[in-house]
Amino acid sequence: MKQSKQSQLIHIWEDYEFYLSIPKTFTGSNKPYVYFYYLDPKTNKSARIRKYIGKNDGNIKLIRDEAKKLILELVTLLDDNWNPLTNLQNEEVINSTTSIEECISYWINKREDALKNQSIAKKTLKNNKILMMHFRSFLDNNNLTHIKAKNITNVHVKEFVDTKAFERNWGKVSYNTYLIDLGTFFNYLKDLKIIKENPCDKVSKKVTRYDSTRFKVFEKEELLLVSSLLSNDKRHFGLYVATKLLFKYNIRPLELTRLQIADLNLKDEVLIIPPSKTKNGNEARFKLDRDTLNLLNQLIGGFPKEWFVFGGRNKPAYLQVCSDYFGQNWRFFKSKHNLPCHLKL
């Protein structure tokens, strides 16, 4: 993530990066602070932790010295399994000696909690369970169920995806999808320091560049047609704005459903998506162009800041829409204008 000019990386310990943020001015309540990101085990999202330090009369050297002392204290606490969100010690439910089967069960439970917290969609959890059903079957057939998670290697992963691809006639896209999703599971274990390396990283994906897949890239004429239809369809104005954000800034549809008007800083021409609303748990910032700003101003004008940007009937709403809202909206729009089936959102 791009840091502001006042933020400096001053220490790295294991997977933690500690930054020092110094305000441009020390007037009022402005104070320097140290911050780092911590994976919340309850939500499986990263949260930014800030610890303020003294102004030290604006002396940069003294501020840095105090920051370094604070970071050493934080590292000691973190090394002792301290949770900065609760200020308590974490209970280690799984560790480096835990079997792969227990790790899978633990992860699925955490994904179910994430669904309750609306951090993931119901379809995501369903896909996770299907993946683990296949992976458990492979582990059981090879007498690997009770080995430690850290002993699963890229050889095991490669054998799993190759075997299942043959058994279930997976295409290249499905092969890559299962490999990526399995990598998400092992990344979770890596974040918890159960394993040191993700075994999926050393398994090559299938090359799909010249193959037909589920999705076909829009031809230029198709893109111009869809853009023209959307821009002239007042009943789908919200969908039009959403596709602009999707096309220009690669913001995921699920993340768009979580956007609230308060996340938009139209004065500074910036969209800030907080960690709790992104897929990877990191804050995302986007500098908006003039065209996008004008469209957003038209869409959210007059609505309260706590309302969601995209709601039912293609306008802001008090309640958040479902995870497949844009998919449903797109299918209705496509049917209304008799667009080809292969044009996916």
Side-chain angles (χ1 to χ4, degrees), residues 31 107 190 232-233 257:
K31 294 173 65 177
W107 184 64
K190 186 177 177 182
N232 290 292
D233 190 336
T257 65

PDB file of all heavy atoms in Angstrom, residues 31 107 190 232-233 257:
ATOM      1  N   LYS A  31      -0.321  14.644  16.888  1.00  0.00           N
ATOM      2  CA  LYS A  31       0.788  13.958  17.555  1.00  0.00           C
ATOM      3  C   LYS A  31       1.349  12.892  16.628  1.00  0.00           C
ATOM      4  O   LYS A  31       0.604  12.286  15.843  1.00  0.00           O
ATOM      5  CB  LYS A  31       0.305  13.299  18.854  1.00  0.00           C
ATOM      6  CG  LYS A  31      -0.140  14.277  19.920  1.00  0.00           C
ATOM      7  CD  LYS A  31      -0.762  13.550  21.103  1.00  0.00           C
ATOM      8  CE  LYS A  31       0.234  12.679  21.820  1.00  0.00           C
ATOM      9  NZ  LYS A  31      -0.361  12.029  23.009  1.00  0.00           N
ATOM     10  N   TRP A 107     -10.214 -23.476  10.072  1.00  0.00           N
ATOM     11  CA  TRP A 107     -10.388 -22.453   9.031  1.00  0.00           C
ATOM     12  C   TRP A 107     -11.845 -22.359   8.582  1.00  0.00           C
ATOM     13  O   TRP A 107     -12.375 -21.255   8.424  1.00  0.00           O
ATOM     14  CB  TRP A 107      -9.482 -22.775   7.848  1.00  0.00           C
ATOM     15  CG  TRP A 107      -9.512 -21.728   6.762  1.00  0.00           C
ATOM     16  CD1 TRP A 107      -9.099 -20.431   6.856  1.00  0.00           C
ATOM     17  CD2 TRP A 107      -9.982 -21.893   5.421  1.00  0.00           C
ATOM     18  NE1 TRP A 107      -9.266 -19.773   5.663  1.00  0.00           N
ATOM     19  CE2 TRP A 107      -9.809 -20.649   4.760  1.00  0.00           C
ATOM     20  CE3 TRP A 107     -10.511 -22.968   4.710  1.00  0.00           C
ATOM     21  CZ2 TRP A 107     -10.161 -20.460   3.429  1.00  0.00           C
ATOM     22  CZ3 TRP A 107     -10.846 -22.772   3.377  1.00  0.00           C
ATOM     23  CH2 TRP A 107     -10.673 -21.537   2.757  1.00  0.00           C
ATOM     24  N   LYS A 190      -0.289 -19.270   7.188  1.00  0.00           N
ATOM     25  CA  LYS A 190       0.976 -18.529   7.200  1.00  0.00           C
ATOM     26  C   LYS A 190       0.849 -17.275   8.060  1.00  0.00           C
ATOM     27  O   LYS A 190       1.767 -16.935   8.824  1.00  0.00           O
ATOM     28  CB  LYS A 190       1.366 -18.152   5.765  1.00  0.00           C
ATOM     29  CG  LYS A 190       2.733 -17.507   5.644  1.00  0.00           C
ATOM     30  CD  LYS A 190       3.069 -17.229   4.182  1.00  0.00           C
ATOM     31  CE  LYS A 190       4.406 -16.506   4.072  1.00  0.00           C
ATOM     32  NZ  LYS A 190       4.730 -16.193   2.650  1.00  0.00           N
ATOM     33  N   ASN A 232     -27.383   5.929 -21.156  1.00  0.00           N
ATOM     34  CA  ASN A 232     -28.675   6.486 -21.561  1.00  0.00           C
ATOM     35  C   ASN A 232     -29.862   5.825 -20.873  1.00  0.00           C
ATOM     36  O   ASN A 232     -31.005   6.179 -21.164  1.00  0.00           O
ATOM     37  CB  ASN A 232     -28.835   6.372 -23.083  1.00  0.00           C
ATOM     38  CG  ASN A 232     -27.901   7.308 -23.840  1.00  0.00           C
ATOM     39  OD1 ASN A 232     -28.055   8.520 -23.798  1.00  0.00           O
ATOM     40  ND2 ASN A 232     -26.910   6.732 -24.511  1.00  0.00           N
ATOM     41  N   ASP A 233     -29.612   4.884 -19.997  1.00  0.00           N
ATOM     42  CA  ASP A 233     -30.685   4.193 -19.281  1.00  0.00           C
ATOM     43  C   ASP A 233     -30.765   4.749 -17.861  1.00  0.00           C
ATOM     44  O   ASP A 233     -30.022   4.343 -16.965  1.00  0.00           O
ATOM     45  CB  ASP A 233     -30.408   2.688 -19.245  1.00  0.00           C
ATOM     46  CG  ASP A 233     -31.598   1.889 -18.739  1.00  0.00           C
ATOM     47  OD1 ASP A 233     -32.431   2.462 -18.007  1.00  0.00           O
ATOM     48  OD2 ASP A 233     -31.691   0.688 -19.059  1.00  0.00           O
ATOM     49  N   THR A 257     -20.689  -3.140  -3.007  1.00  0.00           N
ATOM     50  CA  THR A 257     -21.917  -3.225  -2.213  1.00  0.00           C
ATOM     51  C   THR A 257     -21.713  -2.706  -0.796  1.00  0.00           C
ATOM     52  O   THR A 257     -22.680  -2.348  -0.120  1.00  0.00           O
ATOM     53  CB  THR A 257     -22.434  -4.682  -2.130  1.00  0.00           C
ATOM     54  OG1 THR A 257     -21.494  -5.496  -1.399  1.00  0.00           O
ATOM     55  CG2 THR A 257     -22.658  -5.276  -3.514  1.00  0.00           C
TER      56      THR A 257
END
